[in-house]
Amino acid sequence: MNPSAHSPRQNPFLPKPSGPRRVETLVRQILRGLTYFILLAMAAIILTIAIKGARAVFQAEWPFINTEFLTQSPETLHVFESGGQTMQMSDSEFRATYQEQGLPPPSARAYSHAGGGILPAIIGTVLLVAGAMTISMALGVASAVFLSEYGKSGPLLRLIRLSILNLAGVPSIVYGLFGFGLFVVFLDWNVSLLAGWFTLAFMVLPVIISSSEEALRSVPGGFREASLALGATRWTMIRTSVLPYALPGILTSSILGIARVAGETAPIMFTAAYLLRDRLPWQGLDHWYDFFFQGVMALPYHLYVVSAKLPQNAYTERMQYGTAFVFLALVAAMALTSILLRARIRKRHHW
């Protein structure tokens, strides 16, 4: 009996082994390994922040959330020995316990910014992101509409688009110096919310313009032609037949903008951020407009200070990892809000 008669028939369409195919397999495996390595490294960093930061934000007893950390201002942390135990007290608690009662204060080690909470930094970050995104979205969408719907193709339009793309790659420290020179010094706005808003808005504006213009150009031309054929003006056509269908793409650009605006430290160091501010932005104002001309604390700048200026030990770890945890959670919540809004609009306007 012939043994080849019982062997499975080979598929003639299977690729045959060759040198280029072996190289392709090797390249695919290398790329897969690099991708998994990056994902594992990111997961390790985020998990470390989540585990250690959650210890500062949550607690085992009711109300299960460390309200002191989320509702108080940063203070100096005093660490001292009492009764054979190592005690930790924030500056206000330390003063109330010893100095105001006339008791001799123990010898203590002091860590500035490591005690109390981060409420002013949370409020300042939310205000900076909300104001900067409002300004950048208004200017960015208006510019994108003009370039996409009114701009005439030619060398000038290509030069403008190339300039916008190049501006997106400018380092953030340059935007910070630009904002300091223009808004803080020339316009005399001082270190204030208003200067921070416009500096951050200008920094993220190229991304908003490019993404919004791409979203507008993705709307089918038939929508425009049908609207114009019914006698609508160009602006009416844009308002009723283009913008509603481009909104999901525009909101995608807002997600990218929120992540960058919230995470940048260099621009606000020169224009809006204070190292320490006990009062909230709406407290102690002489006039309502003073709200816009005052500096605020911000989570990225506070995180830079407590990470780079404080010693790394068990007493400062609570503030360092707790600030990073709240910062990531806040950015994720803002981005999630935009994602949910984008999904809702997509259900109403799709083609």
Side-chain angles (χ1 to χ4, degrees):
M1 182 180 293
N2 187 4
S4 63
H6 299 283
S7 63
R9 298 182 59 185
Q10 292 187 347
N11 187 345
F13 298 102
L14 287 176
K16 296 180 180 179
S18 62
R21 292 192 180 281
R22 282 193 286 271
V23 172
E24 182 182 353
T25 303
L26 178 62
V27 170
R28 186 172 64 247
Q29 296 300 332
I30 291 174
L31 294 178
R32 178 181 295 173
L34 289 174
T35 303
Y36 289 163
F37 172 76
I38 294 171
L39 292 177
L40 286 175
M42 291 179 60
I45 294 172
I46 293 176
L47 281 177
T48 302
I49 294 175
I51 293 172
K52 293 187 177 181
R55 295 172 186 167
V57 178
F58 301 104
Q59 60 188 17
E61 301 175 352
W62 177 260
F64 305 113
I65 295 177
N66 189 348
T67 55
E68 176 187 354
F69 186 72
L70 298 177
T71 60
Q72 293 187 0
S73 301
E75 298 181 13
T76 297
L77 179 68
H78 296 273
V79 181
F80 56 93
E81 300 291 336
S82 177
Q85 295 182 345
T86 302
M87 303 290 291
Q88 302 178 40
M89 284 187 180
S90 60
D91 189 61
S92 58
E93 188 180 5
F94 187 81
R95 291 174 182 273
T97 304
Y98 293 100
Q99 296 182 6
E100 294 180 2
Q101 296 182 12
L103 299 176
S107 178
R109 288 167 289 173
Y111 300 99
S112 59
H113 306 287
I118 57 172
L119 178 62
I122 296 174
I123 298 295
T125 302
V126 173
L127 290 175
L128 284 173
V129 172
M133 289 307 300
T134 301
I135 295 171
S136 63
M137 290 297 290
L139 296 178
V141 173
S143 301
V145 168
F146 175 77
L147 294 175
S148 174
E149 304 298 330
Y150 292 100
K152 295 182 180 178
S153 299
L156 179 61
L157 189 61
R158 289 196 294 271
L159 179 62
I160 292 174
R161 284 173 176 155
L162 180 63
S163 302
I164 292 172
L165 290 176
N166 288 330
L167 284 174
V170 173
S172 59
I173 186 69
V174 177
Y175 283 102
L177 294 173
F178 161 76
F180 177 78
L182 178 60
F183 303 121
V184 177
V185 177
F186 183 74
L187 296 179
D188 199 20
W189 290 354
N190 297 319
V191 176
S192 61
L193 262 177
L194 203 58
W197 283 347
F198 276 92
T199 302
L200 291 172
F202 278 23
M203 181 190 68
V204 77
L205 202 51
V207 177
I208 301 290
I209 294 175
S210 301
S211 303
S212 300
E213 190 182 2
E214 193 65 30
L216 290 168
R217 293 165 65 182
S218 68
V219 177
F223 289 22
R224 296 174 175 83
E225 296 167 0
S227 181
L228 293 174
L230 293 175
T233 62
R234 181 172 287 271
W235 170 242
T236 302
M237 176 268 292
I238 294 171
R239 182 170 54 82
T240 59
S241 302
V242 178
L243 275 178
Y245 297 96
L247 268 181
I250 294 174
L251 286 175
T252 301
S253 67
S254 75
I255 297 171
L256 301 175
I258 287 173
R260 189 171 185 198
V261 165
E264 289 293 346
T265 304
I268 60 175
M269 286 175 62
F270 298 103
T271 57
Y274 280 169
L275 181 63
L276 182 62
R277 183 178 174 85
D278 294 334
R279 291 184 301 183
L280 297 178
W282 51 81
Q283 293 177 336
L285 301 179
D286 295 329
H287 307 91
W288 65 268
Y289 49 79
D290 291 340
F291 175 85
F292 302 101
F293 295 97
Q294 59 175 328
V296 294
M297 291 188 68
L299 284 172
Y301 187 43
H302 184 65
L303 182 60
Y304 163 73
V305 172
V306 299
S307 300
K309 305 300 181 183
L310 294 184
Q312 307 290 321
N313 57 44
Y315 307 116
T316 60
E317 183 180 282
R318 163 185 168 274
M319 180 59 72
Q320 293 162 347
Y321 283 98
T323 302
F325 178 79
V326 173
F327 185 34
L328 290 179
L330 190 63
V331 174
M334 292 179 180
L336 182 62
T337 302
S338 295
I339 292 173
L340 294 177
L341 184 59
R342 181 183 62 181
R344 184 173 181 179
I345 294 176
R346 273 182 176 170
K347 288 183 180 178
R348 295 169 54 188
H349 301 284
H350 62 276
W351 64 90

